[in-house]
Amino acid sequence: MSTPLKSAFIRAAMSNGNQTNGSAALLLPMPNPSTGSANPSVSLSALWGYILPALNHILRSPTATVDKVPAVDSSYHIGIHTATYNYITAHSSAANTCKQGLSGSDLYEHLNKYYADLTQELLLGTPENDTTLVQYIVSSFKRYSVGAHSVDRLLNYVNKHYVKRAIDEDRGWLTLGDIFSAVAKSIGEGDTQEKIAKKLRVMRITELKKWGYEENGSSGSLALAEQCAEAASTSDRIVPLGALALRRFRTEFIEFLMTAPKMKSIGTRNT
């Protein structure tokens, strides 16, 4: 898939994620499900079982407009945030004691698979009629991206704790290895540490320009370009949840759609 086409879809998602529409369907917010005396943060399966109804409501429930997603009750929103926080912090202590990987990686991978499954379902619903294909892609993308933006806010603690730490460990969309491999040839024997650091910064800006960033542009345009780059990264890179969802839409829907020789072959895809 070409970079301009990727950029068009990804940038549209970022802008759509901030839109609202007063004509949205009057769906009642999803209430906080009763867990009785069970603690949803005691295990990953318990936490996922608590979160999953909200994900399905936000991303799968029908709406009268694709610009606004169904809401969850404030108590449910707080409950998810609290349960996620408790689960990650508890397992963070355990991970530090046992010298295991970053806590939150298991929940991140569950979300990654959830988005993969959802985008494959969207692909299977693709119409064979070319006249309705574009409309289906656009409406599916808007509905999906706005929902993903909502989930990104709902599970923001995963971004703050797991994703941020993973990026700090050089596992983000652009690693030091990527930069050094590109900059190494331009580093001279007499270059100071300051000169090398400047070349690294220039390399990063060069990459972001591919996604619409203009040098000395606003912080908003910088953030948008970085989100586009994150969504266009390879699957081994750790990115924020919003970009994770868009990356799955790209890999499981758009790229497959563009490489499929015939629309009929989509229904026989091995998922």
Side-chain angles (χ1 to χ4, degrees), residues 92 95-96 99-103 105 161-177 236-238:
S92 179
N96 291 336
K99 297 182 179 180
Q100 298 175 345
L102 292 177
S103 65
S105 60
H161 181 86
Y162 171 67
V163 174
K164 184 179 183 302
R165 291 182 63 185
I167 293 174
D168 289 343
E169 291 184 357
D170 199 33
R171 297 166 61 193
W173 71 274
L174 184 65
T175 67
L176 288 176
D236 61 314
R237 304 301 173 92
I238 306 301

Side-chain angles (χ1 to χ4, degrees), residues 159-254:
N159 288 332
K160 288 183 177 180
H161 181 86
Y162 171 67
V163 174
K164 184 179 183 302
R165 291 182 63 185
I167 293 174
D168 289 343
E169 291 184 357
D170 199 33
R171 297 166 61 193
W173 71 274
L174 184 65
T175 67
L176 288 176
D178 298 330
I179 297 175
F180 273 120
S181 63
V183 175
K185 295 180 181 180
S186 67
I187 297 178
E189 184 176 349
D191 281 352
T192 63
Q193 184 175 355
E194 182 179 352
K195 285 184 178 180
I196 294 174
K198 183 178 179 179
K199 290 180 179 180
L200 295 177
R201 289 193 297 271
V202 170
M203 177 62 189
R204 181 173 180 273
I205 293 299
T206 300
E207 289 297 312
L208 291 174
K209 283 181 178 179
K210 296 177 182 178
W211 300 101
Y213 177 67
E214 297 182 0
E215 199 160 358
N216 299 320
S218 67
S219 58
S221 65
L222 175 62
L224 177 59
E226 187 149 24
Q227 286 176 318
C228 291
E230 291 165 344
S233 65
T234 54
S235 60
D236 61 314
R237 304 301 173 92
I238 306 301
V239 297
L241 298 184
L244 178 69
L246 295 176
R247 185 167 68 189
R248 275 303 189 181
F249 190 90
R250 171 177 62 84
T251 60
E252 303 301 319
F253 187 97
I254 294 298

Side-chain angles (χ1 to χ4, degrees), residues 3-4 24 26 30 51 63 86 93 102 116 119 124 130 134-135 144-145 164 189 193 195 197 204 219 230 240 249:
T3 294
L26 297 176
M30 186 177 193
I51 292 173
T63 61
N86 290 341
S93 300
L102 292 177
T119 47
L124 290 174
D130 290 343
V134 173
Q135 182 180 357
Y144 176 86
S145 62
K164 184 179 183 302
E189 184 176 349
Q193 184 175 355
K195 285 184 178 180
R204 181 173 180 273
S219 58
E230 291 165 344
F249 190 90

